[in-house]
């Protein structure tokens, strides 16, 4: 048991910190910055107005691919939150093994502030939240969580308040977390931020932390819906089951017409990998799925993915349909100088910017294995899933500074005459 006197530090949209005792045994006093409680009728009216628009943000009935029809349960609806299908193109990586092709699935282009792999999961999770009559969303993650940022934006699109529990260091947990990267977007859209230390997170766990906040909000008259870390539960897994249908269409009937031997992705919470692996196994794609985990270890994720598969009654062992490799390096969201140099070199060579936490580590692990075991990869066609996370790079400014250059003061002689052009600035 944990100590119920734990204080979670709350950061409200006005950027002030105040202690938040959770749980309480009495009805909490109202706070000036607390958002008004929406009536159920007004929430439904707002959702119906959104649904009346065809296309983006519309709620639509969901019909699974025929090869996934025996999975259970099957979602009834999903929101249209992302710009799909995302592009697939050849990735001109240097120093590939003989006759090896690497293609890139650009899920980093699924949107702007609402981008990356989390969007696919949120399409199903938020449809369920609305169906249950929720008026606010709770989720949890690291201080630069891409998932939390995407959830905050998507919730606001659907007129839902968002409460985020963010994990940070014990030295910073009492301080304003700032406006870097994902935090800036979260705070711009008015997300309510509760800070916990890494030690508190480890001791108590994400499930208990989100449940504490859920109980408090219920006592305040709210109707919260909890989304787990990374949106990775069995319902969220449908996001990447649907992605495989998209890839299957692109490779068989689209413009690329390429069959893939391998699908490679980063693994941070397990839902993306669970969806990719079960769908590739069930569909005609039959590509070998390899995941590079950026936290915990492969055994943890084999077990976690197994739980997601069991929740869908998939009837298959995770170890039979996915290979999970360790790419954690120094630790979650911690980058070595060599990894950051790799991210810089790939950007400069190919124009593709990888995030340092997920796809950057996965691509680094893939290229390292190709260099060490080239015959293993020779002649294979590989689809790498770019899961987004560009905003996470802004948290690495200081570490990246020594890697970037190519600037100088332009040399200009004072005798050079002025010639007017278009767009005068002065």
């Amino acid at each position: 048991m944990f100590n119920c006197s734990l204080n979670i530090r709350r950061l409200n949209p006005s950027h002030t910190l105040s202690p938040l005792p959770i749980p309480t045994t009495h009805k909490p006093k109202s706070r000036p910055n607390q958002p008004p409680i929406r009536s159920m009728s007004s929430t439904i009216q707002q959702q119906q107005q959104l649904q009346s628009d065809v296309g983006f943000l519309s709620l639509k009935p969901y019909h699974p691919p025929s090869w996934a029809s025996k999975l259970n349960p099957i979602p009834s609806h999903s929101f249209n939150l992302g710009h799909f299908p995302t592009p697939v193109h050849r990735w001109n990586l240097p120093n590939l093994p003989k006759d090896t092709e690497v293609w890139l699935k650009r899920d980093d282009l699924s949107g702007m502030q609402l981008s990356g792999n989390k969007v696919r999961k949120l399409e199903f999770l938020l449809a369920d939240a609305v169906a249950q009559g929720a008026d606010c969303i709770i989720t949890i993650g690291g201080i630069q969580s891409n998932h939390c940022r995407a959830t905050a934006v998507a919730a606001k699109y659907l007129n839902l308040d968002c409460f985020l529990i963010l994990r940070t260091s014990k030295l910073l947990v009492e301080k304003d977390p700032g406006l870097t990267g994902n935090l800036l977007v979260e705070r711009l859209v008015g997300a309510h931020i509760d800070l916990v230390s890494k030690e508190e997170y480890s001791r108590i766990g994400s499930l208990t932390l989100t449940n504490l906040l859920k109980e408090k909000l219920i006592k305040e008259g709210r109707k919260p819906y909890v989304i787990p870390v990374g949106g990775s539960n069995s319902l969220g897994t449908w996001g990447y089951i649907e992605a495989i249908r998209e890839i299957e269409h692109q490779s068989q009937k689209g413009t690329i017409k390429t069959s893939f031997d391998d699908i490679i992705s980063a693994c941070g919470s397990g839902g993306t990998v669970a969806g990719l692996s079960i769908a590739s196994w069930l569909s005609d794609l039959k590509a070998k799925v390899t995941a590079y985990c950026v936290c915990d270890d492969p055994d943890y994720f084999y077990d976690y993915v197994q739980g997601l598969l069991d929740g869908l009654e998939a009837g298959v062992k995770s170890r039979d349909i996915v290979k999970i490799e360790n790419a954690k390096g120094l630790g979650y969201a911690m980058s070595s100088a060599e990894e950051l140099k790799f991210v810089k070199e790939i950007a400069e060579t190919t124009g593709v910017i990888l995030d340092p936490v997920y796809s950057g580590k996965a691509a680094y692990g893939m290229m390292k294995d190709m260099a060490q075991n080239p015959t293993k990869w020779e002649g294979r066609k590989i689809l790498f899933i770019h899961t987004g996370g560009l905003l996470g790079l802004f948290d690495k400014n200081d570490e990246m500074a020594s890697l970037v250059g190519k600037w100088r003061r332009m040399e200009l002689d004072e005798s050079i005459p002025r010639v007017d052009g278009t767009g005068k600035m002065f």
Side-chain angles (χ1 to χ4, degrees):
M1 291 292 292
F2 62 91
N3 185 352
C4 288
S5 64
L6 167 72
N7 283 343
I8 297 180
R9 297 87 183 160
R10 165 153 293 181
L11 186 67
N12 61 38
S14 63
H15 303 167
T16 59
L17 287 166
S18 59
L20 174 63
I22 302 176
T24 58
T25 57
H26 60 279
K27 184 175 178 64
K29 296 179 180 179
S30 60
R31 295 185 303 278
N33 291 316
Q34 183 176 334
I37 299 173
R38 298 189 179 97
S39 69
M40 190 59 203
S41 60
S42 65
T43 300
I44 292 174
Q45 288 173 357
Q46 289 168 335
Q47 295 300 339
Q48 287 175 339
Q49 178 61 44
L50 286 170
Q51 294 161 27
S52 65
D53 299 327
V54 177
F56 188 55
L57 299 185
S58 63
L59 183 67
K60 57 186 183 293
Y62 179 68
H63 304 288
S66 58
W67 41 260
S69 61
K70 292 185 179 180
L71 296 177
N72 184 53
I74 293 173
S76 61
H77 290 79
S78 67
F79 273 111
N80 185 7
L81 299 176
H83 302 294
F84 301 123
T86 55
V88 175
H89 64 82
R90 187 84 172 265
W91 196 9
N92 57 324
L93 290 170
N95 305 317
L96 292 175
K98 182 181 178 181
D99 298 325
T100 300
E101 294 181 11
V102 179
W103 294 68
L104 200 57
K105 177 65 170 167
R106 301 298 301 270
D107 274 9
D108 59 317
L109 303 180
S110 59
M112 182 54 187
Q113 67 265 36
L114 182 60
S115 63
N117 62 324
K118 310 305 182 185
V119 183
R120 294 188 186 271
K121 304 175 188 181
L122 289 169
E123 290 193 326
F124 293 93
L125 293 164
L126 290 177
D128 188 48
V130 169
Q132 293 190 29
D135 66 359
C136 59
I137 303 296
I138 298 171
T139 196
I140 186 167
I143 193 68
Q144 281 293 333
S145 168
N146 299 304
H147 161 70
C148 287
R149 178 258 307 155
T151 302
V153 172
K156 192 59 63 172
Y157 280 161
L158 303 177
N159 293 306
L160 301 170
D161 292 317
C162 187
F163 293 81
L164 305 177
I165 301 175
L166 300 182
R167 179 184 67 247
T168 189
S169 75
K170 62 182 178 182
L171 298 177
L172 300 175
V173 74
E174 300 286 352
K175 300 178 180 179
D176 188 307
L179 298 172
T180 300
N182 288 302
L183 282 163
L184 174 60
V185 176
E186 291 159 359
R187 298 177 75 170
L188 281 173
V189 299
H192 299 258
I193 297 175
D194 291 326
L195 301 176
V196 298
S197 70
K198 294 177 181 178
E199 292 78 9
E200 290 167 336
Y201 184 97
S202 178
R203 178 168 55 90
I204 298 169
S206 63
L207 292 177
T208 302
L209 286 168
T210 52
N211 192 55
L212 287 171
L213 184 53
K214 177 182 178 180
E215 290 175 355
K216 184 179 189 303
L217 290 173
I218 289 173
K219 289 178 181 178
E220 294 175 357
R222 307 303 301 270
K223 296 179 180 179
Y225 181 93
V226 175
I227 295 176
V229 174
S232 291
N233 57 15
S234 293
L235 177 59
T237 298
W238 281 95
Y240 270 85
I241 294 174
E242 187 61 23
I244 287 292
R245 170 156 62 179
E246 183 178 299
I247 293 167
E248 190 176 40
H249 180 82
Q250 288 175 309
S251 63
Q252 295 176 359
K253 301 177 182 178
T255 57
I256 60 173
K257 292 183 172 62
T258 297
S259 59
F260 297 107
D261 301 300
D262 300 270
I263 294 175
I264 293 178
S265 175
C267 176
S269 57
T272 296
V273 171
L276 289 171
S277 56
I278 186 59
S280 182
W281 183 71
L282 288 173
S283 71
D284 291 335
L285 210 59
K286 297 295 186 289
K288 175 185 176 183
V289 177
T290 300
Y292 286 88
C293 65
V294 301
C295 56
D296 297 294
D297 56 59
D299 285 338
Y300 168 83
F301 279 111
Y302 280 125
D303 291 341
Y304 192 84
V305 170
Q306 187 63 57
L308 300 182
L309 297 175
D310 291 345
L312 294 172
E313 299 179 7
V316 65
K317 299 297 183 184
S318 62
R319 292 176 185 268
D320 292 338
I321 61 173
V322 61
K323 175 68 174 175
I324 303 178
E325 303 280 2
N326 197 333
K328 181 168 64 172
L330 297 176
Y332 176 73
M334 300 171 64
S335 302
S336 68
E338 189 175 358
E339 288 168 347
L340 291 177
K341 182 181 179 183
F342 171 81
V343 169
K344 168 64 170 64
E345 289 176 346
I346 293 301
E348 191 168 16
T349 304
T350 72
V352 174
I353 299 177
L354 300 169
D355 81 291
V357 180
Y358 297 98
S359 291
K361 288 195 174 187
Y364 177 78
M366 176 187 74
M367 294 297 287
K368 187 175 180 179
D369 192 43
M370 286 181 176
Q372 294 173 348
N373 305 288
T375 56
K376 167 183 168 184
W377 298 92
E378 285 181 359
R380 298 187 73 81
K381 293 184 178 180
I382 300 154
L383 181 65
F384 186 93
I385 311 295
H386 191 329
T387 55
L390 174 64
L391 290 173
L393 266 175
F394 291 88
D395 195 44
K396 303 289 184 181
N397 283 347
D398 293 339
E399 296 170 73
M400 296 288 290
S402 63
L403 300 175
V404 296
K406 296 188 176 180
W407 75 273
R408 64 187 178 187
R409 170 71 163 89
M410 188 172 181
E411 296 181 6
L412 298 172
D413 192 289
E414 291 184 0
S415 64
I416 297 174
R418 173 183 173 85
V419 177
D420 284 343
T422 59
K424 290 183 179 180
M425 295 192 63
F426 304 103

